């Protein structure tokens, strides 16, 4: 099974939040989410956790694109603009490779190219294959 199909099917939390991977390349991934009423918080903007979930799935796909089991160890996110109902958000993750501790920058933009947030993530790469049933 391809990694994109595996993660879209088996990351049930992200799928339940409406997040979908649309592209994975070597050290790269892109995921999308349309902001719905279910994503809105008390300030009437998209909940930061929903945006984090979008960025996190792209991060996971990018660092696992080489086929070895890689898990996140640290993430830092900075929100620059709010997202609103109807916005189509895209997260693009680009990995700086390291054999054990890859580093990744994830940028989330809306349909107009407005930068919503930047997430920086690091991960630990185990020296075992990622099993995709």
């Amino acid at each position: 099974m391809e990694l994109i199909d595996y993660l879209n099917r088996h990351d049930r939390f992200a799928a339940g939040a409406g997040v979908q991977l649309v592209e994975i390349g070597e050290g790269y991934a892109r995921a999308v989410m349309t902001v719905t009423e279910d994503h809105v918080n008390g300030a009437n903007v998209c909940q930061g956790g929903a945006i984090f979930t979008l960025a996190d799935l792209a991060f996971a796909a990018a660092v696992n694109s080489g086929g070895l089991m890689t898990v996140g160890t640290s993430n830092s996110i900075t929100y620059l603009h709010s997202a609103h109902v109807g916005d189509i958000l895209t997260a693009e993750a680009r990995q700086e490779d390291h054999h054990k501790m890859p580093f990744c920058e994830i940028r989330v933009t809306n349909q107009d190219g407005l930068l919503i947030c930047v997430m920086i993530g690091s991960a630990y790469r185990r020296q075992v294959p990622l099993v995709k049933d």
Side-chain angles (χ1 to χ4, degrees), residues 45-110:
V45 297
C46 185
Q47 162 59 252
I51 298 169
F52 185 95
T53 298
L54 170 65
D56 191 51
L57 186 62
F59 169 55
V63 298
N64 278 285
S65 64
L68 293 176
M69 173 64 73
T70 306
V71 295
T73 57
S74 176
N75 286 301
S76 173
I77 193 165
T78 300
Y79 298 96
L80 303 168
H81 290 95
S82 298
H84 304 276
V85 172
D87 281 346
I88 301 168
L89 304 182
T90 301
E92 287 190 280
R94 287 182 171 79
Q95 171 189 267
E96 293 297 326
D97 200 19
H98 181 275
H99 67 287
K100 285 191 180 181
M101 298 289 293
F103 173 85
C104 203
E105 180 183 76
I106 307 93
R107 298 172 69 85
V108 176
T109 57
N110 71 5

Side-chain angles (χ1 to χ4, degrees), residues 3-82:
L3 180 60
I4 193 168
D5 298 322
Y6 178 81
L7 290 174
N8 278 331
R9 180 177 301 156
H10 292 289
D11 192 320
R12 292 178 294 279
F13 185 83
V19 176
Q20 182 177 19
L21 286 162
V22 293
E23 182 180 359
I24 299 176
E26 187 64 35
Y28 172 83
R30 185 166 48 94
V32 297
M33 176 184 81
T34 299
V35 179
T36 69
E37 291 288 341
D38 290 336
H39 296 117
V40 173
N41 63 18
N44 204 33
V45 297
C46 185
Q47 162 59 252
I51 298 169
F52 185 95
T53 298
L54 170 65
D56 191 51
L57 186 62
F59 169 55
V63 298
N64 278 285
S65 64
L68 293 176
M69 173 64 73
T70 306
V71 295
T73 57
S74 176
N75 286 301
S76 173
I77 193 165
T78 300
Y79 298 96
L80 303 168
H81 290 95
S82 298

